[in-house]
Amino acid sequence: MFVPLWIIIANAMLVAFLITRAMRSGGGDMLERQRRTAPTHSAADEHRLMTLPQVQQAMANGHKIEAIRHVREASGMGLKDAKQMVERHFPR
């Protein structure tokens, strides 16, 4: 199969341009930016989240994933943080 040389060169230049642009624009890893902007929750916030009726009911029924989902919806926190919070209060 024949691919014209100008197509190969144009694709290489496009890739180089996109890589250069990505390196200049972000200033770091996406996960690192999320960690820097992640909201912190106080002990009072944590207690309020763990006493939500939906969270209590889900854990009483043994549905940890559902409880994590309710915590995430109520707080806006990430999956890892919500999971750790639920597991701290309901160890099993």
Side-chain angles (χ1 to χ4, degrees), residues 1-12:
M1 189 168 200
F2 176 72
V3 178
L5 185 59
W6 70 270
I7 292 177
I8 295 170
I9 293 171
N11 284 331

Side-chain angles (χ1 to χ4, degrees), residues 6-78:
W6 70 270
I7 292 177
I8 295 170
I9 293 171
N11 284 331
M13 290 174 62
L14 178 63
V15 168
F17 170 74
L18 292 175
I19 290 173
T20 304
R21 185 173 171 205
M23 293 174 110
R24 288 183 189 166
S25 67
D29 185 32
M30 180 175 66
L31 292 175
E32 190 60 36
R33 285 194 308 268
Q34 288 178 348
R35 284 188 197 107
R36 285 193 300 252
T37 60
T40 57
H41 298 281
S42 66
D45 290 337
E46 191 168 325
H47 178 71
R48 179 187 60 82
L49 291 169
M50 290 299 108
T51 56
L52 289 173
Q54 304 95 325
V55 175
Q56 294 288 324
Q57 184 64 36
M59 288 309 295
N61 294 336
H63 300 290
K64 182 166 73 171
I65 294 173
E66 185 179 337
I68 293 169
R69 181 174 52 87
H70 289 302
V71 169
R72 291 188 70 203
E73 288 173 354
S75 67
M77 67 174 55

